[in-house]
Amino acid sequence: MADFFNEGWSWYVALLSVASVLACAVLLWLAGKARVSAKARADNTTGHVWDEDLREYNNPLPRWWMWLFIITVIFGLIYLALYPGLGAYEGMHKWSQQGQHQADARQMREALAPMYAQFTAKPVADLAKDAQALAIGQRHFMNYCSQCHGSDARGGKGYPNLTQGAAGWLGPLSGEHIVQTITQGRQGVMPAMGAAIGSEAAISDLAHYVMSLSGSPHNEIKAFGGKKYFAACAACHGNDGKGNKALGASNLTDNDWLHGWGEEAIVNIIKNGKTNVMPAQAAWLSPEQIHVLAAYVLSLSAGGSDLTVQPAPTR
Ligand code: HEC
Ligand code: HEC
């Protein structure tokens, strides 16, 4: 019914379909009986001639052809009774494309269930060493995550790099945090702090102090003057600027800039704040798939440990 504005249209389409099938049948019946020309000619032709000597005979349709046509009409009517085609009528089989897709998907899930059960029996950190799980996780990553985090998972402006190891992460680098992030999404919120800091000059000085934390090029006099304003930031970013993983507040000492590097970018974030959202993925990924995906993501940051790091996937 969903495709029609109201039931009237459904009836209109249904009647039109039946009427046209029946009209075909009637036309067939008439053409099968009647001769084209009422005036029978002596040589049984209609008098139409083409290409000098090609003549049209005044005969009814051949029987074999007519029977084929009748079979198609009957087939059409049976088909319309069994399958959807008459307006909003569902057909006796209640078949639908969506139902077919769901049945196929269910069958696939059931077939894969034993394999996923094996995976979910292991903690994410152990699964991050399982080559088969990582290969599956990588494919999920390509389908569901690469549009934001990049096919090599190195992210981009505003989208975290997932390959850089614990120090660069907003949250803790753990299977639990990754599963939670994928399932529920996450939101990083830094409030606008411009008014709390004060003048343009003060904000600029503070930006230089922030740059000094990571040893980035900065003006030392301005940074020295800006240090005192950092007290307002320390609640989230810590006195040492190393961030706070529980709040998702960035580490400002690692020279890794999610929202852009340099005075202008930092002044901008101090003045305007930042709300950065990753949407929840639970609507299209099952808990089992998320478990395997989390193992893949964890493995990406495992450089140097005994975990095997997947080569950067190519597309
Ligand atoms: C629509 C874009 C988008 C998609 C799709 C997306 N993410 Fe994210 N993801 C983000 C953003 C933005 C953040 C940063 C949120 C913040 O600042 O707190 C993020 C953060 C994360 C984090 C936390 C990183 C940290 O440093 O703590 C993980 C883990 C993660 N995403 C994994 C995934 C996985 C796995 C998928 C695929 C299922 C995925 N993301 C799909 C945008 C996306
Ligand atoms: C209420 C907590 C909070 C306070 C206070 C706060 N921040 Fe933030 N800040 C955050 C969070 C959370 C993020 C990460 C945003 C995200 O998820 O992308 C962030 C991100 C940043 C970034 C971007 C880092 C990057 O990698 O690009 C800079 C720079 C920054 N803050 C500087 C400051 C400065 C300077 C102050 C003080 C004026 C300040 N913050 C105060 C929570 C806070």
Side-chain angles (χ1 to χ4, degrees), residues 90-103:
E90 295 178 297
M92 283 149 85
H93 275 339
K94 307 246 181 278
W95 182 92
S96 71
Q97 262 183 356
Q98 203 185 1
Q100 174 93 50
H101 172 76
Q102 279 164 357

Side-chain angles (χ1 to χ4, degrees), residues 154-298:
R154 289 180 190 280
K157 194 157 183 253
Y159 301 109
N161 177 350
L162 302 175
T163 68
Q164 59 186 335
W169 275 54
L170 292 163
L173 176 57
S174 70
E176 214 180 357
H177 167 66
I178 300 172
V179 166
Q180 187 190 11
T181 300
I182 301 172
T183 310
Q184 301 168 8
R186 62 175 278 125
Q187 189 173 22
V189 182
M190 160 154 166
M193 304 285 291
I197 305 305
S199 68
E200 293 285 332
I203 294 173
S204 165
D205 287 356
L206 175 56
H208 280 269
Y209 175 69
V210 170
M211 290 189 283
S212 76
L213 292 173
S214 52
S216 307
H218 61 280
N219 177 322
E220 279 191 31
I221 297 170
K222 282 171 82 73
F224 183 76
K227 185 171 196 277
K228 57 180 175 293
Y229 302 113
F230 195 75
C233 321
C236 295
H237 291 284
N239 283 324
D240 54 1
K242 287 203 158 63
N244 180 330
K245 293 192 185 297
L247 294 172
S250 316
N251 181 348
L252 302 176
T253 68
D254 62 359
N255 206 11
D256 179 77
W257 304 93
L258 184 57
H259 298 294
W261 172 83
E263 179 178 346
E264 197 185 328
I266 298 172
V267 164
N268 186 38
I269 203 167
I270 295 172
K271 282 189 183 166
N272 303 315
K274 191 91 218 169
T275 300
N276 205 25
V277 179
M278 162 156 163
Q281 307 285 311
W284 38 85
L285 286 167
S286 70
E288 293 79 17
Q289 288 173 320
I290 291 175
H291 192 79
V292 171
L293 192 44
Y296 173 71
V297 173
L298 189 61

